[in-house]
Amino acid sequence: MAQGWFRRPKERLVYVWQIEDPKTGRKLERAKVVGDATLSDEEGWQLVGAMKQDGRIKSEVGAPSENPLFSEVASYYLSHKEWKKRSTKTLHEHVVNDILVPRWGDKVAVKIEPPKIKAWLKSLDGENGTRYKIKTVMGTLYTFTQSEGLLPLGEQYNPVHYVKGIESTSDYEAAVLTPEQTLKVLEQLQQPEYTMLVLVAATGMRMSEMLGLRWSDISGDRGEIRIRRTYVYGELETGAKTRLSKSVIAMHHVLGQLLKEWRAESAYALDDDFVFASRKLMGRKPRRGSMVVADHVKPAAVRAGVIDVKDGKTYLDGELVKRFGFHTFRHSLTSWLMANDENPQIVRAMLRWTNLNMLSQYTHGFKADKLEAQGAVLEKLVRESNRELESVSKTATAATD
């Protein structure tokens, strides 16, 4: 293998080299992320040398095999893929090990038929978005192992490429609470859960971002909160979900005072301490968001009469709710702002989206507003005589009562 060279796309140091396709004689380019773009070439070459020794960069590449089993391809993918975030790695490990390999592991990877993949995906229980995510992971597995030379190049060796008709749009409808309902839930909470919920409900901050906060990220003088890390699957990760998310959140003085009061009460109040540190772990890590919801937020909503739980299922205003947690209040904030005719660009900035397309996914109409709007239409459509009869009927009913 000839000596390669380095590129630095997207703040990463990438080693690039060429191999010769034994079948066609064509030069094929290969690439491998070796580290951060801030590394020098000398440091990069040291890492490349280590990768060649342990087999992560192949010095000798023969003709790719057309016969490896899907389980073998999957194992290679999980052991060689470079991950920017631990949460992404965890997701892919779950999809590959728990969903894909049990179904396709004993099949020759390149001989799996697209119609069978499509039929299988459509047979899975779950939402459209979940099926699409599984398809995406499977497709990424194929393209990655092709780029590594484990599978032959070409779309004909990637059956997922031909799988069409799996909808990417989720059929999941988020639950939203009115400000009055949210207040009722808050009235049932103590510290620090009270402050946690106010922080999410007022700023739209993601749960993972809230849990990753340290006191040094909060500036009362400047009235801002800096998002520098997230806490996902029990692991801290530098950065945020998106580039725009890693930014500054405006903090109203009322919210600043609330956080100041919680800091005075907390046992972990040093600048480097987590704002919502775990007592069980002696402050070494933040609390687990799922446990906070299960032990505090959801029971508070039940006590407040906002939601009902029957036979393990959650209901809001009589309708089944698939998910209820901190993210409910992120959706609720968007809906409140739009219902009050807030500038969409202000909403986008508060929620830290790249564009306005997310508004359609996060804005939900409240039942009372829908009825009011419907009533306004009916005022124009229903004949006067019908409205008079309705009025007489109501009067008679009231007299009977």
Side-chain angles (χ1 to χ4, degrees):
M1 178 176 65
Q3 179 119 337
W5 62 92
F6 290 117
R7 292 175 182 160
R8 287 177 168 80
K10 298 181 180 180
E11 301 178 357
R12 296 181 298 175
L13 181 64
V14 178
Y15 175 62
V16 184
W17 72 99
Q18 288 184 334
I19 62 170
E20 183 176 298
D21 187 331
K23 290 185 176 180
T24 65
R26 291 189 302 116
K27 295 292 185 181
L28 304 176
E29 190 172 286
R30 294 287 183 264
K32 189 80 172 177
V33 176
V34 298
D36 190 88
T38 57
L39 293 172
S40 66
D41 282 7
E42 182 179 351
E43 292 171 319
W45 287 121
Q46 292 175 355
L47 290 171
V48 168
M51 288 181 172
K52 288 180 179 178
Q53 288 184 348
D54 63 23
R56 282 181 288 169
I57 294 178
K58 297 181 180 180
S59 299
E60 299 294 335
V61 181
S65 171
E66 296 182 17
N67 298 314
L69 298 178
F70 184 86
S71 58
E72 297 171 334
V73 175
S75 176
Y76 183 93
Y77 173 70
L78 293 178
S79 62
H80 288 75
K81 172 75 173 175
E82 302 267 344
W83 311 95
K84 290 187 68 175
K85 285 184 170 291
R86 170 66 190 174
S87 57
T88 306
K89 180 181 180 182
T90 300
L91 170 65
H92 282 237
E93 286 175 339
H94 164 61
V95 172
V96 172
N97 291 329
D98 300 334
I99 301 175
L100 295 176
V101 170
R103 174 62 183 85
W104 305 106
D106 60 347
K107 306 292 188 295
V108 175
V110 299
K111 294 184 179 180
I112 298 174
E113 299 173 10
K116 291 184 178 179
I117 298 176
K118 181 177 179 178
W120 171 70
L121 286 170
K122 285 186 171 292
S123 72
L124 296 176
D125 290 333
E127 301 160 8
N128 291 337
T130 301
R131 297 188 191 95
Y132 188 81
K133 187 173 292 183
I134 294 171
K135 176 199 167 189
T136 300
V137 172
M138 191 175 186
T140 303
L141 182 153
Y142 271 94
T143 55
F144 176 80
T145 49
Q146 284 181 306
S147 71
E148 293 280 295
L150 190 64
L151 294 178
L153 294 175
E155 294 174 349
Q156 68 272 28
Y157 297 110
N158 181 352
V160 184
H161 174 77
Y162 298 98
V163 177
K164 310 298 180 184
I166 304 299
E167 295 183 24
S168 60
T169 304
S170 174
D171 51 5
Y172 158 66
E173 178 71 18
V176 292
L177 273 59
T178 64
E180 293 76 20
Q181 288 173 318
T182 300
L183 178 59
K184 288 180 180 179
V185 176
L186 286 167
E187 289 173 342
Q188 296 294 323
L189 292 172
Q190 303 295 323
Q191 289 286 32
E193 294 80 26
Y194 177 86
T195 299
M196 296 173 82
L197 187 55
V198 170
L199 187 58
V200 173
T203 67
M205 187 181 298
R206 297 176 180 88
M207 180 181 73
S208 60
E209 297 169 342
M210 171 195 62
L211 296 174
L213 287 176
R214 299 182 189 271
W215 288 113
S216 57
D217 300 323
I218 300 172
S219 173
D221 295 337
R222 292 192 297 271
E224 64 184 32
I225 301 172
R226 290 192 172 274
I227 303 299
R228 294 189 172 101
R229 70 197 69 78
T230 58
Y231 187 60
V232 185
Y233 297 119
E235 299 290 339
L236 283 168
E237 296 182 348
T238 302
K241 185 174 181 179
T242 65
R243 185 180 296 274
L244 187 60
S245 295
K246 188 180 179 182
S247 57
V248 176
I249 294 177
M251 181 178 67
H252 192 278
H253 67 86
V254 173
L255 182 57
Q257 181 61 32
L258 185 62
L259 286 165
K260 184 177 180 181
E261 291 172 1
W262 164 237
R263 186 173 188 176
E265 185 179 338
S266 174
Y268 304 99
L270 299 178
D271 282 352
D272 202 41
D273 285 337
F274 293 107
V275 176
F276 302 108
S278 169
R279 285 182 174 272
K280 183 182 290 187
L281 298 177
M282 303 296 289
R284 293 189 299 272
K285 285 188 174 184
R287 298 175 66 180
R288 290 269 190 156
S290 58
M291 295 178 66
V292 174
V293 171
D295 295 342
H296 299 280
V297 178
K298 197 168 183 178
V302 173
R303 291 195 301 271
V306 172
I307 63 172
D308 293 315
V309 178
K310 299 177 183 178
D311 299 324
K313 296 181 179 180
T314 304
Y315 296 87
L316 173 65
D317 294 332
E319 296 183 5
L320 180 65
V321 175
K322 292 184 178 180
R323 305 170 195 166
F324 184 87
F326 282 109
H327 205 64
T328 300
F329 298 90
R330 183 171 163 86
H331 279 265
S332 298
L333 174 62
T334 308
S335 300
W336 300 343
L337 294 172
M338 294 305 296
N340 283 282
D341 298 323
E342 185 57 77
N343 185 333
Q345 289 292 354
I346 296 296
V347 179
R348 181 199 62 77
M350 287 185 66
L351 277 294
R352 290 166 296 129
W353 295 322
T354 304
N355 54 58
L356 289 172
N357 293 340
M358 294 297 291
L359 269 179
S360 62
Q361 298 182 37
Y362 275 76
T363 304
H364 311 271
F366 297 107
K367 186 174 182 179
D369 294 336
K370 293 176 183 177
L371 290 174
E372 183 179 349
Q374 187 183 81
V377 174
L378 288 171
E379 285 290 327
K380 304 294 184 182
L381 299 180
V382 177
R383 293 178 179 178
E384 184 67 30
S385 58
N386 288 351
R387 292 205 297 272
E388 289 177 356
L389 286 173
E390 181 182 352
S391 177
V392 170
S393 176
K394 287 183 177 179
T395 302
T397 301
T400 302
D401 294 341

